[in-house]
Amino acid sequence: MLQAPKPFVLGGFTTGDCDVPASGRPFLTPASVLPSMLVLENLDQTILSNCGSLEEQQDFQVPEFEEFNGKADSLYFNDGQRRIDFVLVYEDESRKETNKKGTNEKQRRKRQAYESNLICKGLELEATRSVVDNKLVFVKVHAPWEVLCTYAEIMHIKLPLKPNDLKTRSSAFSHLNWFTKILSVDENIIKPEQEFFTAPFEKNRMNDFYIVDKDAFFNPATRSRIVYFILSRVKYQVVNNVSKFGINRLVSSGIYKAAFPLHDCKFGQPSEDPSCPNERYLLYREWAHPRSIYKKQPLDLIRKYYGEKIGIYFAWLGYYTQMLLLAAVVGVACFLYGYFSQENCTWSKEVCNPDIGGNIIMCPQCDKLCPFWRLNITCESSKKLCIFDSFGTLVFAVFMGIWVTLFLEFWKRRQAELEYEWDTVEFQQEEQARPEYEAQCTHTVINEITQEEERIPFTACGKCIRMTLCASAVFFWILLIIASVIGIIVYRLSVFIVFSTTLPKSIDETDPIQKYLTPQMATSITASIISFIIIMILNTFYEKVAIMITNFELPRTQTDYENSLTMKMFLFQFVNYYSSCFYIAFFKGKFVGYPGDPVYWLGKYRNEECDPGGCLLELTTQLTIIMGGKAIWNNIQEVLLPWIMNLIGRYRRVSGSENIRPRWEQDYHLQPMGKLGLFYEYLEMIIQFGFVTLFVASFPLAPLLALVNNILEVRVDGWKLTTQYRRMVPEKAKDIGAWQPIMQGIAVLAVVTNAMIIAFTSDMIPRLVYYWSFSVPPYGDHTHHTMEGYINNTLSIFNVSDFKDISKADSDSGLGNYTTCRYRDFRNPPGHPQEYKHNIYYWHVVAAKLAFVIVMEHIIYSVKFVISYTIPDVSKSTESKIKREKYLTQKLLHENHMTKNMGIMIQKVAEVVDNNRRPKSE
């Protein structure tokens, strides 16, 4: 039988006698309350000293366990009264087949010390063995009313004061209510949440709060959050004055196998228990089920069930998806414009014309092994390029620069509304320090603001050293990513030689493979696939490295921790995903020299050249493969993997009906989400956001692909959370954290990248310069501009006899006798006084490109500034609600008490006056 800890009294909070019930698990019924401003560290030390040290608890015996005798979906202890707020799971050492006595005994002692300290904190525990595997023990945790009130005050949790009396403004589109009703969740199924004015809870002002039913005042999500707060701060061992505490460390060390709050019922059918809210079932039916894909998300119920942190993610993802609809429509329109106008693409016709492109002999694109080739073998790629490299591309790039600003500004307004509705406006100031941070606080300093002593984990010098080491580690891994990109470039240079020697040198119209597969296309596709595989492999390393660096950095709060990890992971992923795209867009083919004097990589590999039509099509291919491959891989990883793991787990377990297994055992066999589960969901979407905005000038269909993916992503994520994973610990969050400034940074960078893609990657500016300045006879005159002759104008002439021995190709290429070849550049022909130097057309084009970038950037940035200034971050209706809540808080929590105090003072004065008026004889 468990020995009860010694009774003690602390600040009015007594353990009583810690009676031991029949189950052998003592539980605590608090007789009073903790002071509202009690320091948690002092509380923990006192509890340890009163509850007994680890050594004093060595004689604890394994307690007897309660037999499960309730309903399968019961959320209560066996008495049917106390609600289960959390479940701890461990494997009984006495039932293990291979029992390492030393290790198991230490684990048992730590666990029993931890549970004893939980009891001293005021939590009530009940243990039950598994009905399937008797080695598993489920410890159910219940927080009594007094404990909930105490920690609600310590954690500054906002709770209802009175119902919200502000009327909701009618929508400007009220005449479309019939349509929105189809898209909305049926209010008869998921009833709207009642809105309240709220304030941070204070026990001494409990009567001011809207308490109709004590059992419903703290909803299950809040109860679980309070219990997790306690579980994360209770100690289980002190070694050399160093405390070890927290459920996370116990789970990671294997002392407990799991710790989680319960789902409230099965997802496929409602609970038979009339006291169960069946919120999981409602979420599955109206949100996660495929038939509800067209409906709006029930954000209030998502927030209520999973917490604000998950709620704000789905609110952001839904809003982002809605905004993508507009971008997708414009993108498809621009794509269709390019598709239908490709027949009028004069320069593509010249490439495909046997009398023009078929007679142009192109210079080899590598040394020795690469042959001469005819221009018309790039006919199909030039036709595709006309679709993406059109005037619609310019229009769409400008539109997307404005779209991203509208999205970010309107999201800020929506986020401000959610902050008010979900009571997270002042959450940042309420956040507590992480347990891992508190455990390392060994240095004492004077707080400059309060002028009081406070403990910190390291000195300013120590912090500087840590930051330097962290920055060095991040820089090293970024260099490693760049090295992998260089490896891909070397692969491109090497494999291009192979494709050039093996693929045909002229087109056979009857062979579809020869028609579409050019050396450039084959190299681009294979390199993109290999690049995607390397990206996926490196991602597994970056995750662990970023977590290790952030843990070493030791941020103070959970928000600081996640923001720091976010910046590191995004920096890694940014370089990992986008570096190959930046190379193709801005470096490939830009520094190649000319056939007589080529530029070499590492002194060995000749720099890679673009297709005669430019590198834009290759950039489009790269984006398509990475975006499509990433979406498919993520769906496999996020959906199929947990589903298969749960399926395997069901087959491995001893046969038992789902109907007789209790709720906690059913949830235990689901997959754990992990604390960083939501982080990866954000990261996936932000990387997609980068592809949609940074390189959209090369791929106007990117928003459409993102839209389709996100429509599925919302429901897939909902299905995954509701059916395949344990319920996550509800957490507060006022916004999307560091992802907001990251998106703003991407939006600023997107303007520059798209302007430079149009200027330096596409062929639009050279064509415009030729059209307006150089289309002269015999192709046109000064009054009639034409694109005829453009291809001949953009290909310079090289004398074959001027090849160096190192790069001279075999002249026997089957293309006939020739003394010159052509290459993509604007240089003077052989025999010119400035032979092979850049001609005047080149400098016209460079000037036009620079002018275009500057003008486009300034125009879009000016529009973005006007939009940002015009649209306020907080709407007027939200401002009025916030002011109204502050007014009510002041009135109810301060003026009422002042009135009471004034009444008491008046009563006392009246008594004194009355006493003075009485005759002295009395």
Side-chain angles (χ1 to χ4, degrees), residues 561-601:
Y561 179 88
E562 293 182 0
N563 290 345
S564 178
L565 180 62
T566 296
M567 296 304 296
K568 294 180 182 63
M569 279 295 292
F570 178 75
L571 193 59
F572 290 152
Q573 300 277 32
F574 183 91
V575 179
N576 194 22
Y577 277 105
Y578 302 144
S579 53
S580 59
C581 295
F582 275 103
Y583 164 73
I584 295 173
F586 306 123
F587 295 97
K588 182 182 177 182
K590 303 300 185 295
F591 312 100
V592 296
Y594 63 96
D597 186 20
V599 176
Y600 290 90
W601 266 83

Side-chain angles (χ1 to χ4, degrees), residues 164 166-170 197 413 416-417 420-421 872 874-885:
N164 191 331
L166 290 179
K167 295 182 179 180
T168 304
R169 294 185 180 182
S170 59
F197 293 116
R413 289 169 63 90
E417 293 175 3
Y420 168 75
E421 293 173 3
V874 182
S875 63
K876 291 184 178 180
S877 60
T878 304
E879 281 185 353
S880 63
K881 290 179 181 179
I882 294 174
K883 292 177 181 178
R884 171 70 173 165
E885 182 171 296

Side-chain angles (χ1 to χ4, degrees), residues 54-72:
L54 180 64
E55 288 74 14
E56 292 174 355
Q57 297 173 1
Q58 291 179 4
D59 297 330
F60 279 16
Q61 297 179 358
V62 177
E64 299 176 359
F65 301 98
E66 292 282 355
E67 294 293 334
F68 172 64
N69 54 14
K71 297 180 180 179

Side-chain angles (χ1 to χ4, degrees), residues 592-809:
V592 296
Y594 63 96
D597 186 20
V599 176
Y600 290 90
W601 266 83
L602 307 176
K604 180 180 179 182
Y605 299 98
R606 182 170 165 178
N607 208 344
E608 194 176 7
E609 296 183 26
C610 289
D611 188 272
C615 289
L616 189 68
L617 188 60
E618 185 174 348
L619 178 59
T620 304
T621 304
Q622 179 86 354
L623 287 171
T624 305
I625 290 176
I626 293 181
M627 280 191 69
K630 185 175 180 295
I632 295 172
W633 174 258
N634 285 334
N635 287 328
I636 293 174
Q637 191 176 25
E638 295 178 7
V639 179
L640 289 182
L641 185 61
W643 180 76
I644 292 173
M645 295 298 292
N646 287 333
L647 191 64
I648 294 174
R650 281 196 292 269
Y651 279 109
R652 284 182 176 178
R653 292 195 295 273
V654 180
S655 61
S657 173
E658 293 281 337
N659 294 326
I660 64 172
R661 291 213 332 266
R663 173 83 270 136
W664 49 86
E665 193 160 349
Q666 295 178 39
D667 284 6
Y668 170 69
H669 291 294
L670 296 175
Q671 294 299 304
M673 184 68 177
K675 292 199 70 174
L676 296 177
L678 196 62
F679 169 82
Y680 295 114
E681 301 295 340
Y682 271 117
L683 184 61
E684 175 190 351
M685 289 295 102
I686 295 298
I687 293 297
Q688 181 205 87
F689 179 78
F691 281 122
V692 168
T693 54
L694 289 175
F695 306 101
V696 75
S698 64
F699 191 36
L701 292 181
L704 177 63
L705 295 182
L707 174 65
V708 174
N709 176 78
N710 289 6
I711 291 174
L712 297 175
E713 183 78 17
V714 172
R715 307 301 166 173
V716 165
D717 286 347
W719 174 85
K720 178 178 63 177
L721 284 176
T722 308
T723 66
Q724 303 300 312
Y725 284 91
R726 298 171 190 159
R727 189 173 181 176
M728 293 180 65
V729 179
E731 295 183 60
K732 280 277 187 180
K734 66 176 296 185
D735 50 34
I736 61 175
W739 302 112
Q740 183 81 22
I742 285 176
M743 286 196 297
Q744 291 173 342
I746 291 176
V748 173
L749 183 60
V751 177
V752 180
T753 56
N754 284 298
M756 294 182 67
I757 286 173
I758 294 174
F760 297 102
T761 309
S762 78
D763 218 23
M764 183 177 296
I765 302 302
R767 290 200 304 269
L768 289 175
V769 172
Y770 177 83
Y771 182 81
W772 292 105
S773 303
F774 290 87
S775 56
V776 294
Y779 302 106
D781 53 51
H782 295 289
T783 59
H784 178 68
H785 300 278
T786 179
M787 288 300 298
E788 293 181 8
Y790 172 73
I791 290 297
N792 183 68
N793 187 74
T794 55
L795 297 177
S796 299
I797 301 174
F798 183 77
N799 196 332
V800 173
S801 61
D802 291 335
F803 273 118
K804 295 181 180 179
D805 292 338
I806 190 174
S807 57
K808 190 172 184 178

Side-chain angles (χ1 to χ4, degrees), residues 349-360 374 376:
K349 292 180 180 179
E350 291 183 348
V351 172
C352 298
N353 192 328
D355 297 329
I356 302 177
N359 290 329
I360 296 179
R374 297 187 186 277
N376 65 338

Side-chain angles (χ1 to χ4, degrees), residues 143-160:
W145 170 259
E146 293 293 342
V147 173
L148 292 173
C149 292
T150 298
Y151 281 91
E153 183 171 2
I154 292 173
M155 297 169 66
H156 304 285
I157 294 177
K158 286 187 172 183
L159 292 169

Side-chain angles (χ1 to χ4, degrees), residues 192-212:
E193 293 292 324
Q194 185 178 4
E195 294 186 8
F196 291 92
F197 293 116
T198 61
F201 185 75
E202 295 181 39
K203 293 184 67 172
N204 60 347
R205 296 174 175 174
M206 189 179 298
N207 294 333
D208 294 327
F209 287 85
Y210 190 79
I211 305 177
V212 177

